[in-house]
Short mmCIF file of all heavy atoms in Angstrom, two decimals:
data_model
loop_
_atom_site.label_atom_id
_atom_site.label_comp_id
_atom_site.label_asym_id
_atom_site.label_seq_id
_atom_site.Cartn_x
_atom_site.Cartn_y
_atom_site.Cartn_z
N SER B 28 48.87 -89.23 -133.98
CA SER B 28 48.36 -90.60 -134.19
C SER B 28 48.41 -91.03 -135.65
O SER B 28 48.27 -92.21 -135.95
CB SER B 28 46.92 -90.71 -133.66
OG SER B 28 46.09 -89.75 -134.30
N ALA B 29 48.62 -90.08 -136.57
CA ALA B 29 48.71 -90.44 -137.99
C ALA B 29 50.08 -90.98 -138.37
O ALA B 29 50.25 -91.54 -139.46
CB ALA B 29 48.38 -89.22 -138.86
N SER B 30 51.08 -90.82 -137.49
CA SER B 30 52.40 -91.36 -137.78
C SER B 30 52.31 -92.86 -137.98
O SER B 30 51.60 -93.56 -137.23
CB SER B 30 53.38 -91.04 -136.65
OG SER B 30 53.65 -89.66 -136.62
N ASN B 31 53.02 -93.36 -138.97
CA ASN B 31 52.87 -94.78 -139.28
C ASN B 31 54.18 -95.53 -139.45
O ASN B 31 54.20 -96.70 -139.80
CB ASN B 31 52.03 -94.95 -140.56
CG ASN B 31 52.76 -94.45 -141.79
OD1 ASN B 31 53.73 -93.71 -141.70
ND2 ASN B 31 52.30 -94.87 -142.96
N TYR B 32 55.28 -94.85 -139.19
CA TYR B 32 56.58 -95.49 -139.40
C TYR B 32 57.52 -95.03 -138.29
O TYR B 32 57.64 -93.83 -138.03
CB TYR B 32 57.13 -95.09 -140.78
CG TYR B 32 58.51 -95.61 -141.09
CD1 TYR B 32 58.75 -96.98 -141.18
CD2 TYR B 32 59.57 -94.74 -141.29
CE1 TYR B 32 60.01 -97.46 -141.47
CE2 TYR B 32 60.83 -95.22 -141.58
CZ TYR B 32 61.05 -96.57 -141.67
OH TYR B 32 62.30 -97.04 -141.96
N PHE B 33 58.18 -96.02 -137.66
CA PHE B 33 58.98 -95.72 -136.48
C PHE B 33 60.33 -96.43 -136.57
O PHE B 33 60.47 -97.59 -136.16
CB PHE B 33 58.21 -96.16 -135.22
CG PHE B 33 56.81 -95.60 -135.16
CD1 PHE B 33 55.75 -96.34 -135.68
CD2 PHE B 33 56.56 -94.34 -134.64
CE1 PHE B 33 54.46 -95.83 -135.66
CE2 PHE B 33 55.27 -93.83 -134.61
CZ PHE B 33 54.23 -94.57 -135.12
N PRO B 34 61.32 -95.75 -137.07
CA PRO B 34 62.66 -96.35 -137.17
C PRO B 34 63.51 -96.02 -135.96
O PRO B 34 63.27 -95.03 -135.25
CB PRO B 34 63.23 -95.69 -138.43
CG PRO B 34 62.60 -94.33 -138.44
CD PRO B 34 61.24 -94.49 -137.82
N TRP B 35 64.51 -96.84 -135.75
CA TRP B 35 65.51 -96.59 -134.73
C TRP B 35 66.87 -96.52 -135.41
O TRP B 35 67.20 -97.35 -136.26
CB TRP B 35 65.53 -97.71 -133.70
CG TRP B 35 64.37 -97.65 -132.74
CD1 TRP B 35 63.15 -98.22 -132.90
CD2 TRP B 35 64.35 -96.98 -131.48
NE1 TRP B 35 62.36 -97.95 -131.81
CE2 TRP B 35 63.06 -97.19 -130.92
CE3 TRP B 35 65.28 -96.23 -130.75
CZ2 TRP B 35 62.69 -96.68 -129.68
CZ3 TRP B 35 64.91 -95.73 -129.52
CH2 TRP B 35 63.63 -95.95 -128.99
N TYR B 36 67.65 -95.51 -135.00
CA TYR B 36 68.96 -95.32 -135.60
C TYR B 36 70.05 -95.40 -134.53
O TYR B 36 69.86 -94.97 -133.39
CB TYR B 36 69.05 -93.96 -136.29
CG TYR B 36 68.24 -93.87 -137.56
CD1 TYR B 36 66.90 -93.52 -137.53
CD2 TYR B 36 68.82 -94.15 -138.80
CE1 TYR B 36 66.15 -93.45 -138.69
CE2 TYR B 36 68.08 -94.08 -139.96
CZ TYR B 36 66.75 -93.73 -139.90
OH TYR B 36 66.01 -93.66 -141.05
N LYS B 37 71.18 -95.91 -134.95
CA LYS B 37 72.38 -95.94 -134.10
C LYS B 37 73.39 -95.00 -134.73
O LYS B 37 73.66 -95.10 -135.93
CB LYS B 37 72.94 -97.37 -134.05
CG LYS B 37 74.24 -97.51 -133.29
CD LYS B 37 74.73 -98.96 -133.36
CE LYS B 37 76.04 -99.14 -132.61
NZ LYS B 37 76.54 -100.53 -132.71
N GLN B 38 73.91 -94.10 -133.93
CA GLN B 38 74.88 -93.15 -134.48
C GLN B 38 76.15 -93.18 -133.66
O GLN B 38 76.14 -92.91 -132.45
CB GLN B 38 74.31 -91.73 -134.51
CG GLN B 38 75.22 -90.75 -135.24
CD GLN B 38 74.65 -89.35 -135.31
OE1 GLN B 38 73.91 -88.92 -134.43
NE2 GLN B 38 74.99 -88.61 -136.36
N GLU B 39 77.23 -93.52 -134.32
CA GLU B 39 78.54 -93.45 -133.70
C GLU B 39 79.13 -92.07 -133.94
O GLU B 39 78.75 -91.38 -134.88
CB GLU B 39 79.43 -94.56 -134.24
CG GLU B 39 78.87 -95.94 -133.90
CD GLU B 39 79.69 -97.07 -134.49
OE1 GLU B 39 80.53 -96.81 -135.36
OE2 GLU B 39 79.47 -98.23 -134.08
N LEU B 40 80.05 -91.69 -133.11
CA LEU B 40 80.58 -90.33 -133.11
C LEU B 40 81.08 -89.92 -134.49
O LEU B 40 81.91 -90.60 -135.09
CB LEU B 40 81.70 -90.22 -132.08
CG LEU B 40 82.20 -88.81 -131.77
CD1 LEU B 40 81.08 -87.98 -131.15
CD2 LEU B 40 83.40 -88.85 -130.84
N GLY B 41 80.54 -88.81 -134.99
CA GLY B 41 81.01 -88.26 -136.26
C GLY B 41 80.50 -88.96 -137.50
O GLY B 41 80.92 -88.63 -138.61
N LYS B 42 79.61 -89.93 -137.32
CA LYS B 42 79.11 -90.68 -138.47
C LYS B 42 77.62 -90.46 -138.66
O LYS B 42 76.93 -89.94 -137.80
CB LYS B 42 79.42 -92.17 -138.30
CG LYS B 42 80.91 -92.47 -138.25
CD LYS B 42 81.17 -93.97 -138.18
CE LYS B 42 82.65 -94.26 -138.16
NZ LYS B 42 82.92 -95.72 -138.11
N ARG B 43 77.15 -90.87 -139.80
CA ARG B 43 75.72 -90.72 -140.08
C ARG B 43 74.93 -91.75 -139.28
O ARG B 43 75.45 -92.79 -138.88
CB ARG B 43 75.44 -90.93 -141.56
CG ARG B 43 75.71 -92.34 -142.04
CD ARG B 43 75.33 -92.52 -143.50
NE ARG B 43 75.76 -93.79 -144.02
CZ ARG B 43 75.53 -94.20 -145.26
NH1 ARG B 43 74.88 -93.42 -146.09
NH2 ARG B 43 75.96 -95.37 -145.67
N PRO B 44 73.67 -91.47 -139.05
CA PRO B 44 72.82 -92.45 -138.37
C PRO B 44 72.66 -93.71 -139.22
O PRO B 44 72.52 -93.62 -140.44
CB PRO B 44 71.50 -91.72 -138.21
CG PRO B 44 71.80 -90.28 -138.41
CD PRO B 44 72.95 -90.23 -139.36
N GLN B 45 72.67 -94.83 -138.58
CA GLN B 45 72.49 -96.12 -139.26
C GLN B 45 71.18 -96.73 -138.78
O GLN B 45 70.97 -96.90 -137.58
CB GLN B 45 73.66 -97.06 -138.95
CG GLN B 45 75.00 -96.59 -139.47
CD GLN B 45 75.20 -96.85 -140.95
OE1 GLN B 45 74.35 -97.45 -141.60
NE2 GLN B 45 76.30 -96.39 -141.49
N LEU B 46 70.34 -97.08 -139.73
CA LEU B 46 69.07 -97.72 -139.38
C LEU B 46 69.35 -99.11 -138.81
O LEU B 46 70.04 -99.92 -139.43
CB LEU B 46 68.20 -97.84 -140.62
CG LEU B 46 66.85 -98.52 -140.44
CD1 LEU B 46 65.93 -97.67 -139.57
CD2 LEU B 46 66.20 -98.79 -141.79
N ILE B 47 68.83 -99.39 -137.63
CA ILE B 47 69.05 -100.71 -137.03
C ILE B 47 67.78 -101.55 -137.03
O ILE B 47 67.85 -102.77 -137.11
CB ILE B 47 69.62 -100.60 -135.60
CG1 ILE B 47 68.72 -99.76 -134.70
CG2 ILE B 47 71.03 -100.06 -135.63
CD1 ILE B 47 69.14 -99.79 -133.24
N ILE B 48 66.65 -100.92 -136.93
CA ILE B 48 65.38 -101.64 -136.98
C ILE B 48 64.26 -100.61 -137.14
O ILE B 48 64.41 -99.46 -136.77
CB ILE B 48 65.17 -102.49 -135.70
CG1 ILE B 48 64.05 -103.54 -135.91
CG2 ILE B 48 64.88 -101.62 -134.49
CD1 ILE B 48 64.01 -104.60 -134.82
N ASP B 49 63.18 -101.05 -137.74
CA ASP B 49 62.04 -100.14 -137.89
C ASP B 49 60.76 -100.94 -137.75
O ASP B 49 60.75 -102.17 -137.85
CB ASP B 49 62.08 -99.38 -139.21
CG ASP B 49 62.14 -100.29 -140.43
OD1 ASP B 49 61.99 -101.53 -140.28
OD2 ASP B 49 62.37 -99.77 -141.53
N ILE B 50 59.68 -100.24 -137.50
CA ILE B 50 58.39 -100.89 -137.35
C ILE B 50 57.32 -99.98 -137.93
O ILE B 50 57.42 -98.76 -137.85
CB ILE B 50 58.11 -101.24 -135.87
CG1 ILE B 50 56.90 -102.18 -135.75
CG2 ILE B 50 57.92 -99.97 -135.04
CD1 ILE B 50 56.76 -102.79 -134.36
N ARG B 51 56.32 -100.60 -138.51
CA ARG B 51 55.21 -99.83 -139.06
C ARG B 51 53.99 -100.01 -138.18
O ARG B 51 53.91 -100.94 -137.38
CB ARG B 51 54.93 -100.26 -140.50
CG ARG B 51 56.10 -99.91 -141.39
CD ARG B 51 55.86 -100.09 -142.86
NE ARG B 51 57.05 -99.68 -143.60
CZ ARG B 51 57.27 -98.45 -144.02
NH1 ARG B 51 56.37 -97.50 -143.80
NH2 ARG B 51 58.38 -98.14 -144.67
N SER B 52 53.03 -99.12 -138.39
CA SER B 52 51.92 -99.05 -137.44
C SER B 52 50.98 -100.24 -137.52
O SER B 52 50.12 -100.39 -136.65
CB SER B 52 51.12 -97.75 -137.67
OG SER B 52 50.67 -97.68 -139.00
N ASN B 53 51.14 -101.08 -138.51
CA ASN B 53 50.27 -102.26 -138.59
C ASN B 53 50.89 -103.48 -137.90
O ASN B 53 50.36 -104.58 -137.98
CB ASN B 53 49.96 -102.59 -140.05
CG ASN B 53 51.22 -102.85 -140.87
OD1 ASN B 53 52.32 -102.54 -140.44
ND2 ASN B 53 51.04 -103.42 -142.04
N VAL B 54 52.00 -103.25 -137.21
CA VAL B 54 52.70 -104.34 -136.52
C VAL B 54 52.94 -103.93 -135.08
O VAL B 54 53.22 -102.77 -134.80
CB VAL B 54 54.05 -104.64 -137.22
CG1 VAL B 54 54.83 -105.69 -136.46
CG2 VAL B 54 53.82 -105.07 -138.66
N GLY B 55 52.84 -104.88 -134.15
CA GLY B 55 53.03 -104.55 -132.74
C GLY B 55 54.43 -104.83 -132.23
O GLY B 55 54.88 -104.20 -131.28
N GLU B 56 55.13 -105.74 -132.92
CA GLU B 56 56.47 -106.09 -132.44
C GLU B 56 57.29 -106.61 -133.61
O GLU B 56 56.76 -107.27 -134.51
CB GLU B 56 56.39 -107.15 -131.34
CG GLU B 56 57.72 -107.51 -130.73
CD GLU B 56 57.57 -108.48 -129.56
OE1 GLU B 56 56.42 -108.81 -129.20
OE2 GLU B 56 58.60 -108.90 -129.01
N LYS B 57 58.57 -106.34 -133.56
CA LYS B 57 59.48 -106.82 -134.59
C LYS B 57 60.80 -107.13 -133.94
O LYS B 57 61.27 -106.38 -133.07
CB LYS B 57 59.64 -105.77 -135.69
CG LYS B 57 60.47 -106.20 -136.87
CD LYS B 57 60.48 -105.08 -137.91
CE LYS B 57 61.33 -105.41 -139.11
NZ LYS B 57 61.32 -104.30 -140.11
N LYS B 58 61.41 -108.23 -134.37
CA LYS B 58 62.66 -108.64 -133.74
C LYS B 58 63.69 -108.99 -134.79
O LYS B 58 63.37 -109.57 -135.84
CB LYS B 58 62.41 -109.85 -132.84
CG LYS B 58 63.60 -110.23 -131.98
CD LYS B 58 63.23 -111.35 -131.01
CE LYS B 58 64.41 -111.70 -130.13
NZ LYS B 58 64.10 -112.78 -129.16
N ASP B 59 64.93 -108.62 -134.51
CA ASP B 59 66.04 -108.95 -135.39
C ASP B 59 67.22 -109.31 -134.51
O ASP B 59 67.92 -108.44 -134.01
CB ASP B 59 66.37 -107.78 -136.32
CG ASP B 59 67.49 -108.11 -137.30
OD1 ASP B 59 67.94 -109.27 -137.33
OD2 ASP B 59 67.91 -107.21 -138.04
N GLN B 60 67.43 -110.58 -134.31
CA GLN B 60 68.51 -111.09 -133.46
C GLN B 60 68.40 -110.49 -132.06
O GLN B 60 67.44 -110.75 -131.36
CB GLN B 60 69.86 -110.83 -134.13
CG GLN B 60 69.99 -111.53 -135.48
CD GLN B 60 71.34 -111.31 -136.14
OE1 GLN B 60 72.06 -110.36 -135.87
NE2 GLN B 60 71.71 -112.24 -137.02
N ARG B 61 69.38 -109.69 -131.64
CA ARG B 61 69.37 -109.16 -130.27
C ARG B 61 68.53 -107.90 -130.12
O ARG B 61 68.43 -107.35 -129.02
CB ARG B 61 70.80 -108.88 -129.81
CG ARG B 61 71.71 -110.09 -129.76
CD ARG B 61 73.06 -109.76 -129.13
NE ARG B 61 73.83 -108.80 -129.92
CZ ARG B 61 74.04 -107.54 -129.57
NH1 ARG B 61 73.55 -107.05 -128.45
NH2 ARG B 61 74.76 -106.75 -130.35
N ILE B 62 67.99 -107.42 -131.21
CA ILE B 62 67.27 -106.15 -131.18
C ILE B 62 65.79 -106.38 -131.45
O ILE B 62 65.43 -107.16 -132.35
CB ILE B 62 67.85 -105.19 -132.24
CG1 ILE B 62 69.30 -104.86 -131.90
CG2 ILE B 62 67.02 -103.91 -132.31
CD1 ILE B 62 69.99 -104.04 -132.97
N ALA B 63 64.96 -105.71 -130.68
CA ALA B 63 63.52 -105.81 -130.89
C ALA B 63 62.89 -104.43 -130.68
O ALA B 63 63.43 -103.60 -129.94
CB ALA B 63 62.89 -106.82 -129.93
N VAL B 64 61.80 -104.21 -131.34
CA VAL B 64 61.04 -102.97 -131.16
C VAL B 64 59.59 -103.34 -130.93
O VAL B 64 59.06 -104.25 -131.57
CB VAL B 64 61.21 -102.03 -132.37
CG1 VAL B 64 60.80 -102.70 -133.67
CG2 VAL B 64 60.46 -100.73 -132.16
N THR B 65 58.96 -102.65 -130.00
CA THR B 65 57.54 -102.84 -129.73
C THR B 65 56.82 -101.52 -129.95
O THR B 65 57.39 -100.45 -129.73
CB THR B 65 57.30 -103.32 -128.30
OG1 THR B 65 57.85 -102.35 -127.39
CG2 THR B 65 57.96 -104.66 -128.05
N LEU B 66 55.60 -101.61 -130.38
CA LEU B 66 54.80 -100.43 -130.67
C LEU B 66 53.44 -100.56 -130.03
O LEU B 66 52.76 -101.59 -130.21
CB LEU B 66 54.65 -100.25 -132.19
CG LEU B 66 53.66 -99.17 -132.66
CD1 LEU B 66 54.12 -97.78 -132.24
CD2 LEU B 66 53.47 -99.25 -134.16
N ASN B 67 53.03 -99.54 -129.31
CA ASN B 67 51.70 -99.48 -128.72
C ASN B 67 51.01 -98.26 -129.33
O ASN B 67 51.24 -97.13 -128.91
CB ASN B 67 51.78 -99.37 -127.19
CG ASN B 67 50.41 -99.39 -126.54
OD1 ASN B 67 49.44 -98.87 -127.08
ND2 ASN B 67 50.33 -99.99 -125.36
N LYS B 68 50.18 -98.51 -130.31
CA LYS B 68 49.54 -97.38 -131.02
C LYS B 68 48.57 -96.63 -130.15
O LYS B 68 48.41 -95.42 -130.26
CB LYS B 68 48.83 -97.91 -132.27
CG LYS B 68 49.74 -98.26 -133.41
CD LYS B 68 48.96 -98.43 -134.69
CE LYS B 68 47.96 -99.56 -134.59
NZ LYS B 68 47.22 -99.74 -135.86
N THR B 69 47.89 -97.36 -129.28
CA THR B 69 46.90 -96.72 -128.43
C THR B 69 47.56 -95.70 -127.51
O THR B 69 47.09 -94.58 -127.33
CB THR B 69 46.15 -97.76 -127.60
OG1 THR B 69 45.53 -98.71 -128.49
CG2 THR B 69 45.08 -97.11 -126.74
N ALA B 70 48.66 -96.12 -126.92
CA ALA B 70 49.39 -95.26 -126.00
C ALA B 70 50.36 -94.34 -126.72
O ALA B 70 50.94 -93.44 -126.11
CB ALA B 70 50.13 -96.11 -124.97
N LYS B 71 50.56 -94.58 -128.00
CA LYS B 71 51.50 -93.80 -128.81
C LYS B 71 52.90 -93.84 -128.24
O LYS B 71 53.54 -92.79 -128.03
CB LYS B 71 50.99 -92.37 -129.01
CG LYS B 71 49.77 -92.30 -129.93
CD LYS B 71 49.38 -90.89 -130.29
CE LYS B 71 48.68 -90.22 -129.14
NZ LYS B 71 48.10 -88.90 -129.50
#
Side-chain angles (χ1 to χ4, degrees):
Chain B
S28 57
S30 291
N31 68 343
Y32 177 63
F33 308 93
W35 285 89
Y36 288 87
K37 176 183 180 182
Q38 187 179 30
E39 297 177 347
L40 190 64
K42 297 185 179 180
R43 66 176 171 178
Q45 296 280 356
L46 178 68
I47 57 172
I48 196 167
D49 57 9
I50 192 168
R51 295 189 178 271
S52 57
N53 58 346
V54 176
E56 183 175 357
K57 185 177 178 180
K58 189 174 181 180
D59 182 5
Q60 299 182 337
R61 299 187 295 108
I62 296 174
V64 57
T65 58
L66 171 65
N67 183 326
K68 285 194 298 181
T69 303
K71 290 189 284 188

